[in-house]
Amino acid sequence: MKKLLQASDYARIEDVVNDLIEDLGLRQFPVNCFEVAFMLGIEIKKYSQFSKTDRDFVVSKYEDGFSITSAGKFIIYYNDSMDRRRNKFTIWHEIAHIQLGHFESDCMISYEQKEMEANHFAAYVMAPLAFIHNLGLCAPSEISDVCEISLACAYKVYGHYKKAFRYESIRNAILNGRIVNLLTYSPKMIGA
């Protein structure tokens, strides 16, 4: 059975996201993963940059993406044949591994826990529940459009939103979270 993240894990991950947003001086939601990676000195490369043979091998091992360190620098590789919104989640997921210290030699949590933490980080930065509530998003399709996430991810976020808002203490914590004060929603221009 998978060990679920504890409330303290969620709070720690959200603090890391909020600190990152604040430290980088970001002000607009949605936050651009490519811009953040650049600001952090993380190089991003597409799978299409590999030869066909190498690309086929990489896809067989890491369908969506992965990250490595090389000469003290992080590099994120992502499968650019996937949907653009899925790619953004993958890049945020990999940024999460870096920001949460999963590459550190003293990181002693399991692979499964690292994956759950990175997924929460990515979902939190891409579709904060406070924004979903404050913008009055009532359906996964609306969440997908506004937060620029895949529909599959939007369904998961929407389910989490519905569960969380059943409990007054959780709802209040979400609505009073730092991210609401750090970022302002800025809709994309049509055709931009």
Side-chain angles (χ1 to χ4, degrees):
M1 183 171 119
K2 270 187 179 177
K3 179 184 177 248
L4 297 176
L5 296 177
Q6 303 297 311
S8 60
D9 296 320
Y10 289 114
R12 176 181 49 80
I13 293 162
E14 291 167 13
D15 280 343
V16 170
V17 172
N18 291 323
D19 289 345
L20 178 66
I21 289 167
E22 193 166 34
D23 292 347
L24 295 178
L26 303 171
R27 298 288 175 251
Q28 292 187 342
F29 174 82
V31 180
N32 184 314
C33 61
F34 292 95
E35 177 184 348
V36 169
F38 176 79
M39 293 170 87
L40 293 172
I42 300 169
E43 190 175 351
I44 297 180
K45 294 186 175 187
K46 301 173 183 180
Y47 279 13
S48 62
Q49 294 173 290
F50 291 119
S51 69
K52 172 140 176 49
T53 304
D54 289 345
R55 185 171 50 247
D56 290 345
F57 174 77
V58 169
V59 168
S60 74
K61 297 291 183 190
Y62 309 101
E63 183 179 5
D64 295 321
F66 66 98
S67 48
I68 62 167
T69 58
S70 177
K73 184 177 179 177
F74 288 102
I75 303 169
I76 295 173
Y77 293 89
Y78 73 97
N79 187 345
D80 51 320
S81 70
M82 298 286 200
D83 177 77
R84 170 183 65 85
R85 292 175 179 204
R86 184 169 174 172
N87 284 333
K88 289 184 344 184
F89 187 91
T90 297
I91 292 166
W92 276 119
H93 177 97
E94 295 304 323
I95 290 172
H97 283 307
I98 296 164
Q99 291 301 117
L100 294 171
H102 293 167
F103 285 97
E104 303 297 323
S105 59
D106 62 347
C107 183
M108 303 305 266
I109 62 175
S110 69
Y111 171 80
E112 291 79 14
Q113 177 116 4
K114 288 177 184 177
E115 290 301 298
M116 286 188 287
E117 288 187 359
N119 284 340
H120 181 67
F121 181 111
Y124 180 75
V125 75
M126 292 183 76
L129 299 184
F131 278 85
I132 290 166
H133 183 78
N134 291 344
L135 294 171
L137 306 179
C138 300
S141 60
E142 292 176 347
I143 295 168
S144 176
D145 290 342
V146 170
C147 298
E148 301 176 9
I149 60 176
S150 70
L151 193 54
C153 183
Y155 270 98
K156 289 179 183 177
V157 168
Y158 184 69
H160 186 64
Y161 169 79
K162 295 303 261 182
K163 282 183 200 172
F165 273 73
R166 279 190 242 162
Y167 305 99
E168 187 175 350
S169 62
I170 297 173
R171 179 178 58 247
N172 290 339
I174 290 168
L175 295 177
N176 295 315
R178 278 173 59 201
I179 201 162
V180 174
N181 298 317
L182 293 171
L183 297 173
T184 303
Y185 174 63
S186 177
K188 297 282 186 214
M189 301 278 292
I190 301 292

